[in-house]
């Protein structure tokens, strides 16, 4: 998958993860892009380590599920860190 396709995948996965998680998460489009790309990387790593499936094709269902799952994990961790720094 190309660099720009990976950025688009990360942006969409981050937006979907924000829509799935309840509550209000801070950050704008740039934070969504960064968290989505990091989440896609994490999802690809976890998928290849546990299931032997990585992020290879843009239009593959496994690619999207791994990217969204990784973005949810990263968003949860980001939410915990952001709440601690506010207090």
């Amino acid at each position: 998958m190309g660099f720009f396709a990976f950025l688009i995948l990360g942006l969409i996965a981050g937006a979907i993860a924000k829509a799935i998680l309840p509550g209000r998460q801070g950050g704008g489009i740039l934070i969504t892009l960064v968290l989505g790309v990091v989440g896609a990387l994490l999802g690809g790593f976890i998928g290849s380590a546990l299931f032997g499936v990585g992020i290879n094709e843009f239009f593959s269902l496994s690619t999207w599920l791994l990217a969204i799952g990784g973005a949810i994990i990263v968003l949860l961790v980001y939410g915990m860190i952001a709440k601690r720094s506010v207090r």
Side-chain angles (χ1 to χ4, degrees):
M1 184 167 25
F3 179 72
F4 290 112
F6 197 76
L7 286 179
I8 291 170
L9 173 71
L11 178 64
I12 295 171
I16 292 172
K18 277 191 173 186
I20 289 173
L21 288 177
R24 185 174 179 271
Q25 294 87 20
I29 190 118
L30 185 61
I31 295 296
T32 302
L33 175 66
V34 170
L35 293 177
V37 169
V38 170
L41 286 171
L42 177 68
F45 176 74
I46 291 172
S48 64
L50 295 179
F51 308 115
V53 178
I55 295 179
N56 298 327
E57 298 179 18
F58 187 78
F59 294 107
S60 173
L61 180 63
S62 64
T63 295
W64 284 94
L65 292 176
L66 289 172
I68 293 169
I72 288 173
I73 293 170
V74 170
L75 192 58
L76 286 171
V77 171
Y78 174 75
M80 285 188 268
I81 292 171
K83 283 184 181 179
R84 278 192 197 164
S85 65
V86 171
R87 292 181 181 187

